Structures are given as structure tokens and as C-alpha cells.
Amino acid sequence: DVKVTQSSRYLVKRTGEKVFLECVQDMDHENMFWYRQDPGLGLRLIYFSYDVKMKEKGDIPEGYSVSREKKERFSLILESASTNQTSMYLCASSRVDATNEKLFFGSGTQLSVL
Amino acid sequence: QKEVEQDPGPLSVPEGAIVSLNCTYSNSAFQYFMWYRQYSRKGPELLMYTYSSGNKEDGRFTAQVDKSSKYISLFIRDSQPSDSATYLCAMTGGTSYGKLTFGQGTILTVHP
């Protein structure tokens, strides 16, 4: 069974902390994505990566960075957490072929910044 | 104006009803259209995938795409309580190949 695993289901952090969200996929997918999901706003793309050590900004990259040192792992970093970054964070992966629009999602990390 | 608009609902229907979920979009380059289903406290999972215009059927689910009207629909026949979830439309195409744009999601409850 294919899987995208996010390291934490719930996380509570304080304003100003550096926060790491980890994501691992076991499908040998080239593409990996980080989205955040907020009520009424749907899913918004933060960053994505088409290959190891490669990253591209999505629609809302401000306040975030990413790291992809290995193909199976894609990390989202909040350099200095703020309360407006309280959200559900979803990691996803897809293949680079005719079906690379089909994203496989993890279960999400609900982050609260106090 | 959002690139993809979806009525967030919530939508509440009795078991056995036909459900219609819809999205409109503005980017004429979109050519791949998807519906994802998201259960509470879970990530979205792909439900239906359609390329360009037309219909696609899978069991109780039918996806329709009308590119001329920039309008997509998902129909659920004989709805079941297990269909209660948030349904998200998503689409991509042109230079954004592989990068999806999502609707806001519609919360559906099917009550027995």
C-alpha cells in the first residue's frame, strides 16, 4: 500500500520558534508538494520539488522554506513561526509521467502557533 | 477572484439522494480535472480523474467536464452515510503541469 507519512499529527509551537515538518513517501515519486489548508480557502501550495535538492515556490511561500536532500523526504521549515501560520499542513507526492497530476497525500499535520 | 470557485456548502442530504457538486474556473489552459474526497482528520484522496471535456463514470460516481462553460461537476447516485466527507475539485494544465489548483471544498453530510 503506497504511503505518504507526515511525522506529526498535531503540533503546538510558540511564536518565534523554528518549526520543522517532515514528510516521507515510499513510492519513489519524483514530485513532492507542501500545501496548507484553511477553512474557506481550500488548499494552497507553499513549495514543491521536482527532484532532489530542487525546490520551487508555490503561491504562498513567504515565511517558509523547504529542504529535499533525499528523494523520499521533503521537509517544510517555518523559520520563525507566527500565529497566522496556524493551519493544517498537507504533504503530497506524484510521479513524473502522464499521471503526474494524481497527488497522493499524507494525513496532515495540524499546527497551532501560540 | 479565485481561479477555481467551489460552493463550500455545507450540503446535507438524506441517504439515497443524488448529490451534485460543482466547480467553475477561469483559466482556459486547465485540461486535467480531478475530484478528491477528504474524510475528517485525513488527507485528501483521489476519487475521479478526467482529461479534457466529457463524462467519466465509476460506480455511483460520475464526473462531468464542460470546458466551453468552464464548469465541472461530480454526481453521486444513491448516496450513503459513508460518502459524508469534504469534496475538493482540482485542476491543472498548460505551464502549471503537475501543480494543482484546488477549489475551497464542499462539506457533504449524508444522513440515514
Side-chain angles (χ1 to χ4, degrees), chain A residues 91-107:
Chain A
C91 175
S93 70
S94 69
R95 295 189 309 197
V96 177
D97 61 18
T99 62
N100 70 355
E101 300 79 17
K102 297 181 181 178
L103 299 186
F104 294 85
F105 283 89
S107 293

Side-chain angles (χ1 to χ4, degrees), chain A residues 34 47-48 55-56 64-68 74-77:
Chain A
W34 275 106
Y47 265 97
F48 61 103
K55 59 186 177 185
E56 293 223 16
Y64 302 96
S65 63
V66 291
S67 173
R68 193 161 181 206
F74 193 34
S75 303
L76 179 69
I77 304 153

Side-chain angles (χ1 to χ4, degrees), chain A residues 43-63:
Chain A
L43 274 72
R44 293 180 291 167
L45 182 63
I46 305 171
Y47 265 97
F48 61 103
S49 170
Y50 287 146
D51 201 353
V52 176
K53 296 193 186 296
M54 176 272 175
K55 59 186 177 185
E56 293 223 16
K57 293 180 180 178
D59 300 317
I60 52 164
E62 296 77 21

Side-chain angles (χ1 to χ4, degrees), chain B residues 65-83:
Chain B
V65 175
D66 182 349
K67 289 190 71 181
S68 61
S69 302
K70 297 191 179 68
Y71 188 87
I72 71 170
S73 301
L74 177 71
F75 296 96
I76 307 174
R77 289 185 300 280
D78 187 26
S79 57
Q80 301 295 309
S82 59
D83 295 328

